[in-house]
Amino acid sequence: VCIHRVRSCSSIRFIKSKYVCVFDKSALKFSRQQRLFRTSAVSCGQIVQFKLSDIGEGITEVTVKEWYIKEGDSVSQFDSICEVQSDKASVTITSRYDGIIRKLHYNLDEIAYVGKPLVDIEIDASKGVTSEEDVVETPPMSHEEHTHQEIKGHKTLATPAVRRLAMENNIKLSEVVGTGKDNRILKEDILNYLAKQTGAILPPSPKAEIMPPLPKSETVPAAPKDKARKIPVPVSRPIAFSGKDKTESVTGFQKAMVKTMSAALKIPHFGYCDEIDLTQLVQLREDLKPLAEIRGVKLSFMPFFIKAASLGLLQYPILNASLDESCQNVTYKASHNIGVAMDTEQGLIVPNVKNVQVCSVFEIASELNRLQSLGSAGQLGTNDLTGGTFTLSNIGTIGGTYAKPVILPPEVAIGALGKIQVLPRFNGKGEVFQAQIMNVSWSADHRIIDGATMARFSNLWKSYLENPASMLLDLK
């Protein structure tokens, strides 16, 4: 007997005549408590409008950056449909259905709105359900309930893409702490959990960065390459003279920058600059670099700068605070979530390293590697980009010695680091020697921070970097 659908417990209805076969009525037995027929959950040829769901953080519109499918393509559940970008992060949208794409509602770089159709999918009955089930008399489950995973009587909020990632890595969602709205488990929560369990950096660093150190004899020829790399190379772009002005809407991270910098303009800034002799730190990093590479981590100067800043914030917590809009209350932040400005293809982004006060230099370097990898791929999550309490901007990697950094509200201080230069300096005996000099430019909120506080913090930060061994006395 081939039956396509059962409409009730007392009658049988055949949807398509080609499924009807001769049968013995006595062979069919059913009860009102349980139906024993195999069924499919969807009907053939049905067009479903797949709407853009709420991705949290109050985001109402996103920009479509890339389509992974086109009209006429077949998709399955959890297949990637497109990548969208809000003013906070990039998100990959996955399919909830098995079927065929019939219509794309947006072109690239167009604005898509939450709750509006993203694509039209024609449901494929042959792939509608991954495994057939016995139909039991239970109330139908809503779509919202399908986005929860029932574990030990506790509903865990997670999207299908996150559940798929957890399943592929054999992770129980009940063991993961969600950082999203209503404790929703996000993609970065799974990655962070997996990194803690395995000690790996996700996504993994390129193999070139994990290669064991070469003998000293083989590292000598690298000097000319380093010198050549410092020469700026112009970016070649096709020259097009259209004769017409071009107007583009402000979207994505640019839109976020407009909002943030407009708010920053209301803050009275004051600046403070100094120079730091990094000669000892340069030597220390050279000694530790091979050890870090063996452990799969690229060690730059930034982890030392970040850790020294955290030690300084313990002594001057006013720099790790925030001021409310009415300027009546100051909140001293317990966590040192130090942001690092990054230049990416999507624009300027500032992810932050969480809880630096309890992290080692190596742990900071590992987290920076992860953030840089995700930033380059445009896959930083909201959790990585929010919650910062203090910021460092290493503008020296591009060029320049001094800068005038702009505070990122609700933070109250920011530092800009210049490039490291070999310059002549005098020692205590009046002798000239080669020194590795870096300039730093601080900006602070003059409403609650005075110049003396900023100078004392800078002097302490400077002392840690000029004598890196002194950090051992204050490390916890």
Side-chain angles (χ1 to χ4, degrees), residues 320-333:
N320 196 58
S322 64
L323 184 66
D324 65 2
E325 294 183 0
S326 61
C327 299
Q328 299 297 316
N329 300 291
V330 177
T331 302
Y332 294 85
K333 303 292 185 178

Side-chain angles (χ1 to χ4, degrees), residues 173-449:
L173 291 182
S174 59
E175 298 176 356
V176 181
V177 178
T179 59
K181 185 178 180 182
D182 298 327
N183 297 322
R184 180 182 295 274
I185 297 176
L186 308 176
K187 179 180 178 182
E188 51 265 29
D189 297 331
I190 300 293
L191 295 176
N192 291 337
Y193 178 85
L194 189 59
K196 290 178 181 178
Q197 294 296 314
T198 62
I201 310 302
L202 294 177
S205 302
K207 292 182 179 180
E209 297 178 356
I210 310 177
M211 291 177 60
L214 296 173
K216 290 186 178 179
S217 60
E218 296 182 32
T219 58
V220 175
K225 289 185 179 180
D226 296 338
K227 188 174 182 180
R229 196 178 296 126
K230 294 180 181 179
I231 300 175
V233 179
V235 179
S236 59
R237 292 189 179 91
I239 301 175
F241 298 97
S242 62
K244 296 181 180 180
D245 295 340
K246 183 180 180 181
T247 302
E248 295 181 349
S249 58
V250 178
T251 59
F253 292 121
Q254 263 191 334
K255 193 171 185 179
M257 189 185 296
V258 170
K259 295 178 182 178
T260 304
M261 294 299 100
S262 298
L265 188 63
K266 302 175 183 179
I267 299 174
H269 288 55
F270 83 88
Y272 178 83
C273 302
D274 200 357
E275 73 170 32
I276 294 90
D277 183 357
L278 298 180
T279 304
Q280 292 187 39
L281 181 61
V282 170
Q283 184 59 50
L284 176 63
R285 174 178 172 264
E286 287 300 316
D287 295 339
L288 297 178
K289 228 172 122 180
L291 298 176
E293 288 179 350
I294 291 174
R295 298 165 72 174
V297 173
K298 183 179 179 182
L299 182 64
S300 64
F301 289 104
M302 185 56 75
F304 297 97
F305 299 153
I306 292 174
K307 188 60 184 180
S310 177
L311 294 175
L313 293 176
L314 292 174
Q315 302 297 322
Y316 299 96
I318 186 64
L319 297 175
N320 196 58
S322 64
L323 184 66
D324 65 2
E325 294 183 0
S326 61
C327 299
Q328 299 297 316
N329 300 291
V330 177
T331 302
Y332 294 85
K333 303 292 185 178
S335 298
H336 296 172
N337 299 339
I338 298 182
V340 181
M342 292 183 182
D343 179 40
T344 68
E345 293 182 358
Q346 292 80 28
L348 177 66
I349 56 176
V350 189
N352 57 82
V353 181
K354 299 287 194 295
N355 298 309
V356 176
Q357 76 279 3
V358 295
C359 293
S360 66
V361 172
F362 179 77
E363 289 171 337
I364 297 170
S366 299
E367 180 65 4
L368 275 178
N369 283 191
R370 185 186 72 85
L371 294 175
Q372 288 166 348
S373 298
L374 294 177
S376 300
Q379 296 177 353
L380 283 168
T382 305
N383 185 53
D384 295 323
L385 296 169
T386 57
T389 61
F390 187 86
T391 298
L392 291 176
S393 176
N394 191 8
I395 192 65
T397 56
I398 301 175
T401 53
Y402 289 95
K404 188 178 179 182
V406 180
I407 299 168
L408 299 175
E411 299 173 21
V412 295
I414 185 175
L417 313 175
K419 63 182 179 180
I420 300 175
Q421 307 176 85
V422 179
L423 299 173
R425 290 294 182 267
F426 292 94
N427 59 18
K429 299 179 181 180
E431 300 170 340
V432 178
F433 70 99
Q434 288 186 353
Q436 302 277 353
I437 301 299
M438 182 188 74
N439 300 111
V440 62
S441 306
W442 302 103
S443 291
D445 188 340
H446 216 345
R447 294 174 297 182
I448 58 173
I449 299 173

Side-chain angles (χ1 to χ4, degrees), residues 66-80:
E66 184 176 0
W67 285 107
Y68 298 118
I69 45 87
K70 60 183 182 295
E71 293 182 2
D73 284 354
S74 296
V75 294
S76 301
Q77 293 184 54
F78 310 121
D79 283 354
S80 297

